[in-house]
Amino acid sequence: MAIADVFSRSSTTTGPGAAVTPLSAFGERPAREGEHVEALYAWVDEIAALTTPDRVHWVGGSRLENEALLREMVDEGRLIKLNPEWRPGSYLARSHPGDVARTEGRTYIASEREEDAGPTNNWVAPDEMRATLTPLFAGSMRGRTMYVVPFSMGTVGGPLSHIGVQITDSAYAVASIGIMTRVGVDVIDQIAAGKPWVKTVHTVGAPLAPGEQDVAWPCNDEKYIVHYPDTLEVWSFGSGYGGNAILAKKCFALRIASVIGRDEGWLAEHMLLIRVISPEGKKYHIAAAFPSACGKTNLAMLRPTIPGWRVETLGDDISWIRPGDDGRLWAINPEAGFFGVAPGTGESTNVTAVETLWGNTIFTNVALRPDGDVWWEGLTDETPAELTDWEGNPWTPASGRPAAHPNSRFTVSAGQCPQIADDWEAPEGVPLDAILFGGRRATNVPLVVEATDWSHGVFIGSNISSERTAAAEGTVGELRRDPFAMLPFCGYNMADYFAHWLRVGKALHVSKRPRVFQVNWFRKGSDGRFLWPGFGDNSRVIEWIVRRLEGAVDAVDAPIGRLPRIEDLNLEGIDVPQQDLEELFAVDPESWLHEADLTEQFYSTFEGKVPPRLYAELEALRYRLKRAQQA
Ligand code: SAT
Ligand code: MN
């Protein structure tokens, strides 16, 4: 491990004797005037008085400041600098072994009314929650620097953009926010001009006693990720990890933004965003929601296997979707980077992601190679003979445990993606042509099915699920429900969210509504094999969807929606046996009727709040299934 050791100690100096500016040269509070900016200053003072940091650093967002921050983190042992020969400008962070993922059990929606949080969220009354949090935050930043990070989701000043400020005592969070959002003083200018902003406060909850030696990844066993939707605030305590610490992401861009969207008539969605370009050069925009582990990042970076088709990436995780003046829905990716799962990302599964990570990347909890580069399961077909695992221990293939944590991550600017759309930062976004809902279903759900109309599409979205267990043919395995892939991310009552979706679509003229499709790359045959090759070949499904949008192909009416005629699927160059194709699109009324019962059970958990329109969809589905059963 000798070489890696050297890199972990070296700083980011670009050459021998290059002058470096220390972080302390940055951090001045930008001088602005007026009541709005005074309110910001007062809030920052108030948080500082509560958390008592040693220093307050206003992040200006310059490249030099970021370099100084990273250099300081390396010098303090918080980051390992990777070998610039393999991975220039890149770093490895190792988290505390107990701080490796979002903590949904500790995530709260503290709305005034309990029914506004709904049965899928943890709820505590705001007053009660503040009474719990205030003593925890009191003195929580002692011995540390409190960073003030002004950020914009979407390009600064864009019509679909929203701004916020994160206060944090985690330098790792600052570096990550710098990649995932647009950070800079121009956001302060927006605040000074009176634009509303969201307040987010984060502490790792590990104050230092005078002279106390810090650890590489401070955190607290006690964790709270708290949203106050009525006052547009997020307070996060005790975790340095991803969605718990980069508050602009799931906390703001989904949970808080979904509430803003509900009130303003738009949608904050857990959706990737792509542009599909047909061989004729026509452009289509598709947003797609998938629960985790369903290949969302792969679809966001799809490389079609069919000649003439191209996909450009616009976003991999979040879409903000708003009705435009032209009566269509327009979408932006509010983020500026990708915070993706490393394991399983490889040359054969997602070469675009691998190319994106060539440099300027912060890796978290992946393995370190002896040559100072990184590795994770699935990156290469061959496993290196020796590694340092994500916890910093020596590792060989015989170790019998993964070298990278299964939820290890990369944080990288979206602009580095080789197939990012040229106009991915266009403030007005792109007009949506289709919305896809996916899941990981071994049974029942066909490769692709088109919703008959908007409310049927909302019905499908409300039923997204993945199978927990590999189910036998014809029986539904235990379903893990993740409606709209928003279960952990909807900031208000999910039944009200379904109603909001119905409302947003109804306000659009039928001809302008995006068409809705359900896809399932994971259906298995009776012998347990996957029936569909997946990955790049999913472009064949996208082609059919586009041909439907163009009105170029007919569909077959089935009880569950509109299915492709097999002959309309482009299967050139792949060999899917006829019987598999039939199984891929088979609709078994009996197991679908069972699934309808599960839907009814699920809806009943919302205590009468699910919109009647969705119950009507359920009854219509049952009626069509029973008719098919009798036929
Ligand atoms: O940790 S994050 O919430 O940002 C990412 C994820 O859970 O998908
Ligand atoms: Mn996500």
Side-chain angles (χ1 to χ4, degrees), residues 567-589:
E567 65 267 28
D568 290 330
L569 279 178
N570 179 349
L571 299 171
E572 222 167 289
I574 52 168
D575 187 22
V576 183
Q578 185 64 26
Q579 201 198 325
D580 286 9
L581 288 167
E582 278 159 25
E583 275 191 76
L584 266 173
F585 293 101
V587 178
D588 174 29

Side-chain angles (χ1 to χ4, degrees), residues 102 249-250 254 270 296 316-318 409 489:
R102 279 183 296 104
K249 193 173 176 59
K250 309 293 191 182
L254 289 175
H270 191 202
K296 191 171 166 199
D316 77 325
D317 196 37
I318 298 176
R409 298 275 173 161
F489 306 123

Side-chain angles (χ1 to χ4, degrees), residues 248-498:
K249 193 173 176 59
K250 309 293 191 182
C251 298
F252 175 3
L254 289 175
R255 299 195 191 96
I256 293 290
S258 64
V259 173
I260 300 175
R262 174 196 65 191
D263 298 341
E264 295 183 353
W266 54 280
L267 303 163
E269 296 303 322
H270 191 202
M271 290 181 173
L272 64 86
L273 189 60
I274 54 174
R275 170 180 296 144
V276 178
I277 307 171
S278 72
E280 301 81 44
K282 289 226 175 99
K283 294 174 179 173
Y284 298 91
H285 298 103
I286 299 179
F290 290 84
S292 55
C294 290
K296 191 171 166 199
T297 308
N298 293 343
L299 183 60
M301 301 180 183
L302 184 75
R303 290 212 183 166
T305 51
I306 40 179
W309 290 80
R310 282 197 298 131
V311 167
E312 293 178 350
T313 306
L314 289 154
D316 77 325
D317 196 37
I318 298 176
S319 295
W320 283 355
I321 304 171
R322 193 190 274 269
D325 295 336
D326 62 353
R328 303 184 68 186
L329 287 182
W330 287 71
I332 60 163
N333 163 19
E335 301 190 280
F338 306 132
F339 182 66
V341 177
T345 305
E347 300 286 347
S348 54
T349 52
N350 191 338
V351 63
T352 301
V354 171
E355 287 174 5
T356 305
L357 304 175
W358 63 268
N360 307 322
T361 305
I362 299 177
F363 296 94
T364 305
N365 290 341
V366 300
L368 185 64
R369 296 168 51 110
D371 64 0
D373 196 7
V374 283
W375 191 83
W376 51 81
E377 280 72 17
L379 174 62
T380 52
D381 291 339
E382 229 168 279
T383 304
E386 63 168 319
L387 293 166
T388 304
D389 75 7
W390 68 277
E391 293 189 85
N393 300 314
W395 184 97
T396 71
S399 297
R401 58 175 198 278
H405 187 277
N407 191 38
S408 55
R409 298 275 173 161
F410 53 78
T411 313
V412 67
S413 290
Q416 272 190 208
C417 174
Q419 66 191 71
I420 196 88
D422 279 344
D423 57 344
W424 72 281
E425 299 197 272
E428 71 282 4
V430 295
L432 272 192
D433 297 290
I435 291 172
L436 271 48
F437 294 119
R440 183 181 275 270
R441 293 295 308 271
T443 67
N444 269 16
V445 180
L447 178 63
V448 58
V449 55
E450 183 184 344
T452 47
D453 59 16
W454 184 263
S455 56
H456 184 227
V458 174
F459 175 75
I460 288 175
S462 76
N463 276 301
I464 293 190
S465 42
S466 290
E467 250 136 349
R468 238 187 248 278
T469 49
E473 169 74 345
T475 62
V476 181
E478 196 193 337
L479 293 185
R480 189 211 304 254
R481 292 193 171 267
D482 190 356
F484 291 79
M486 281 288 277
L487 191 67
F489 306 123
C490 185
Y492 60 104
N493 191 311
M494 200 113 207
D496 293 338
Y497 167 89
F498 298 160

Side-chain angles (χ1 to χ4, degrees), residues 123-147:
W123 177 82
V124 172
D127 288 352
E128 196 184 317
M129 187 51 97
R130 286 189 203 274
T132 304
L133 290 188
T134 303
L136 285 173
F137 276 83
S140 64
M141 297 189 187
R142 192 179 59 214
R144 300 192 179 280
T145 300
M146 178 178 117
Y147 299 94

